[in-house]
Amino acid sequence: MRRVVIVGGVAGGMSAATRLRRLDEEASIVVLERSGHVSFANCGLPYHLGGVIEERSALLLQTPESLDVRFALDVRVRHEVVGIDRAGRTVAVRDLARGTELELPYDVLVLAPGARPVVPPVPGIEVARTLRDVEDLDALVASARGAGSALVVGGGFVGVEVAENLVHRGLAVTLVEAASQVMTPLDPEMVAPVHEVLRGAGIDLVLGESVTRIDPAGAGRTHLVHLSGGRTVPAGLVVAAIGVRPETTLAERAGLELGPRGGILVDERLRTSDPAVFAVGDAVEKRDGLDASAVLVPLANTANRQGRVVADVIVGRPGLDRPVLGTAVVGVFGLAAATVGWSEKRLRASGRPHRVLHTHPGSHAGYYPGAETMALKLLVDPATDAILGAQAVGRDGVDKRIDVVATAMTGGLTAGDLADLELAYAPQFGSAKDPVNMLGWVDRAVADGDVATLQWHELDDALAAGAHLVDVRSAEEHAARPLPGAVNVPLEHLRTRRGELPAGPLVVHCEVGLRGYLAARVLAQHGREVRNLDGGYRTWSAGTAVAREVAPVSVPA
């Protein structure tokens, strides 16, 4: 009989345990979980805080008793593994409820300890709440009652979700992010709508500043949070949501090898440096899907899949871990923001050549009621046409489009191949030319040399080098939303008025890029050197708005 001990429940650990039971009815499977809950919807925690998920019990997916009845698993909550004897193949376990310790033997050990919240070394930070498990949620809900105001430290996906749900609870919320934007996996022009919707909901969004000190609450139950820019913000509740790092304490004590990013090092079969010990989930390093470098991607989908793979490997079936693309989506006050692969920021920082495409399509056919405009961005290898990444922001249809692109990347389709995908169409769901298809056609136009493009952050340099800017929108659009220095010649008049354009290289622009493309085709065939401002005024406006948001601040002595 194979003796398997799994350290940690939730996504990776419980997936490993239940899959293993389905494959091996005779194995002894013990799951040890430090918290009081072994199977809960981790990603749903912020939404109970805000009352969107009304019943706390809805988050509790399985109990030790239900897992025993269905899967014959020995699941022990409030049991913390405090040591691993690799030579003797035993684990030292502390029963937190009884205060006793015991040893359990294993033939195979699976580590699924997850990740722990990052807590910065800031004076007074001990008053801040975090959100990792159900116990954290209960403490956070209790602290939010009557708090009146809250300050959230960190503008990542969880920080944004927590801020939104504290607003739903009726608290006045300040969100502090040390970077120049929230949700740093997104590029600046793509995150602008997120900033807008956060501020529109009444959140005081503080960018480019960090928390330097927290003065504990006095009799009035209000903490004073000091920021690097000199402000002091009163807050009845402080939440640290800066991010997470792999929980590797147990692995380090056992002498298991860690990777360059600080996670547990595993091979393609999820074995650690000890062949009898496997590791899965947020605690382990993954391989990046683009360059195979070591990355930390704490996502539930990846943890669940790794749990299944490790069970296959344990019973002798073929199983290999896959590289990760980091596909993720978050909802913010009805707005959805999604990403897959690398961002333009990361590509530029790495020096990797890339082609950038922006579009602003409708979520479904414009003539059918309720269509919403979204922003799409595709990043492409100019030499191979491989898809390097994509981002999408909008109120409807965002998850569908990013999932299609993620699937295409996994299947090895090129950007141009997107044009030929046969996607479901009905007016209430999409368009005959789906936004994903349009990305493919735009890519082909650039790759085939039909149009040269210019990115929003390249415009100033192009104008400084002598290019002239031409706005091909209507006179009314130009007057309402002018781009500085542009000459307005509407597309419909371009053929008859092209002689009015200044000599030298031209940059044409419209609202979202389509009319600019048409204008560039006309002018190029008349011998003009011309580039289209990719994504038009809308992309330029979003990108420059975020770039202006964080001005240098002087901190008083």
Side-chain angles (χ1 to χ4, degrees):
M1 180 179 67
R2 182 186 290 114
R3 298 172 299 181
V4 181
V5 173
I6 299 174
V7 182
V10 197
M14 289 315 305
S15 291
T18 53
R19 172 69 172 170
L20 186 57
R21 174 57 75 220
R22 293 193 296 273
L23 299 177
D24 186 348
E25 185 64 19
E26 301 302 321
S28 165
I29 306 172
V30 180
V31 181
L32 304 167
E33 169 59 41
R34 178 172 51 190
S35 76
H37 302 276
V38 73
S39 179
F40 60 89
N42 188 288
C43 296
L45 298 181
Y47 299 99
H48 177 63
L49 171 65
V52 178
I53 298 174
E54 295 182 4
E55 298 298 329
R56 175 180 177 275
S57 58
L59 299 171
L60 308 178
L61 307 178
Q62 296 283 351
T63 65
E65 294 75 20
S66 67
L67 290 163
D68 180 27
V69 169
R70 177 168 292 188
F71 295 103
L73 299 176
D74 181 358
V75 177
R76 308 181 194 184
V77 296
R78 303 194 189 282
H79 280 65
E80 181 180 12
V81 177
V82 294
I84 302 171
D85 179 355
R86 291 166 49 197
R89 294 199 178 183
T90 62
V91 292
V93 185
R94 181 177 296 133
D95 183 333
L96 300 177
R98 295 182 176 86
T100 58
E101 292 196 8
L102 67 151
E103 282 193 350
L104 287 177
Y106 67 83
D107 298 309
V108 176
L109 179 64
V110 179
L111 301 180
R116 62 182 185 274
V118 174
V119 180
V122 172
I125 194 65
E126 61 273 5
V127 305
R129 295 292 183 185
T130 58
L131 186 58
R132 179 190 182 191
D133 53 30
V134 176
E135 285 82 1
D136 287 345
L137 173 64
D138 292 341
L140 188 50
V141 169
S143 298
R145 294 191 185 104
S149 61
L151 184 142
V152 179
V153 187
F157 283 31
V158 174
V160 166
E161 290 174 339
V162 169
E164 175 186 11
N165 282 281
L166 289 171
V167 169
H168 291 329
R169 287 191 69 94
L171 277 67
V173 178
T174 300
L175 178 60
V176 179
E177 169 55 53
S180 60
Q181 63 170 84
V182 301
M183 297 167 57
T184 53
L186 295 177
D187 287 316
E189 75 278 20
M190 302 300 290
V191 85
V194 180
H195 289 182
E196 183 179 347
V197 77
L198 289 171
R199 291 194 170 106
I203 292 176
D204 180 9
L205 182 59
V206 181
L207 300 172
E209 296 189 42
S210 57
V211 172
T212 58
R213 189 176 87 245
I214 303 174
D215 294 338
R221 198 192 163 187
T222 300
H223 309 291
L224 292 178
V225 183
H226 298 262
L227 305 183
S228 59
R231 290 177 58 187
T232 301
V233 180
L237 170 67
V238 180
V239 183
I242 298 170
V244 295
R245 60 169 53 101
E247 177 54 87
T248 59
T249 304
L250 189 60
E252 289 183 82
R253 288 176 183 168
L256 297 175
E257 189 175 347
L258 302 186
R261 301 298 302 276
I264 301 172
L265 187 66
V266 293
D267 64 15
E268 291 184 338
R269 297 184 183 276
L270 298 167
R271 282 192 176 89
T272 68
S273 52
D274 183 331
V277 182
F278 295 81
V280 299
D282 295 353
V284 309
E285 292 192 354
K286 287 85 176 177
R287 290 178 295 117
D288 185 89
L290 267 65
D291 69 354
S293 63
V295 290
L296 299 174
V297 179
L299 294 175
N301 172 282
T302 299
N304 275 295
R305 184 183 183 279
Q306 287 186 332
R308 290 178 58 89
V309 169
V310 83
D312 287 352
V313 174
I314 288 170
V315 301
R317 291 192 175 193
L320 292 175
D321 192 27
R322 68 178 181 200
V324 295
L325 297 173
T327 311
V329 63
V330 66
V332 190
F333 295 106
L335 187 75
T339 179
V340 61
W342 286 24
S343 65
E344 184 181 359
K345 288 181 295 187
R346 184 175 176 187
L347 289 166
R348 292 171 68 187
S350 71
R352 182 164 183 168
H354 56 279
R355 179 162 62 235
V356 182
L357 312 171
H358 291 90
T359 62
H360 296 272
S363 57
H364 60 250
Y367 60 81
Y368 190 90
E372 296 273 1
T373 299
M374 69 178 77
L376 294 181
K377 179 173 185 176
L378 192 69
L379 297 148
V380 184
D381 187 310
T384 65
D385 204 38
I387 304 170
L388 303 178
Q391 297 169 36
V393 180
R395 291 192 172 272
D396 185 30
V398 162
D399 55 338
K400 170 183 175 179
R401 272 69 190 208
I402 214 73
D403 282 346
V404 171
V405 175
T407 303
M409 292 177 71
T410 301
L413 299 184
T414 67
D417 290 335
L418 298 178
D420 297 324
L421 292 179
E422 185 178 341
L423 303 174
Y425 162 61
Q428 63 270 48
F429 300 112
S431 300
K433 297 177 180 178
D434 189 86
V436 174
N437 296 137
M438 291 302 301
L439 286 173
W441 280 314
V442 172
D443 175 72
R444 287 181 180 179
V446 177
D448 292 345
D450 294 340
V451 64
T453 58
L454 187 76
Q455 296 307 311
W456 64 271
H457 52 79
E458 299 172 330
L459 179 59
D460 286 348
D461 287 344
L463 298 181
H468 300 279
L469 186 60
V470 181
D471 183 351
V472 298
R473 298 174 297 173
S474 68
E476 292 77 16
E477 290 173 285
H478 174 73
R481 296 179 301 281
L483 207 159
V487 175
N488 181 221
V489 180
L491 174 64
E492 292 75 12
H493 305 154
L494 187 61
R495 288 181 177 85
T496 57
R497 294 178 54 190
R498 59 185 175 82
E500 301 175 19
L501 299 177
L506 301 175
V507 175
V508 293
H509 88 87
C510 62
E511 187 69 17
V512 298
L514 175 58
R515 283 173 289 175
Y517 163 69
L518 299 175
R521 291 298 303 144
V522 170
L523 293 171
Q525 292 180 80
H526 283 283
R528 297 302 303 266
E529 179 186 344
V530 57
R531 288 177 286 178
N532 183 28
L533 183 62
D534 186 50
Y537 175 89
R538 192 169 300 178
T539 297
W540 174 88
S541 177
T544 54
V546 172
R548 289 193 301 266
E549 282 198 86
V550 182
V553 291
S554 58
V555 181

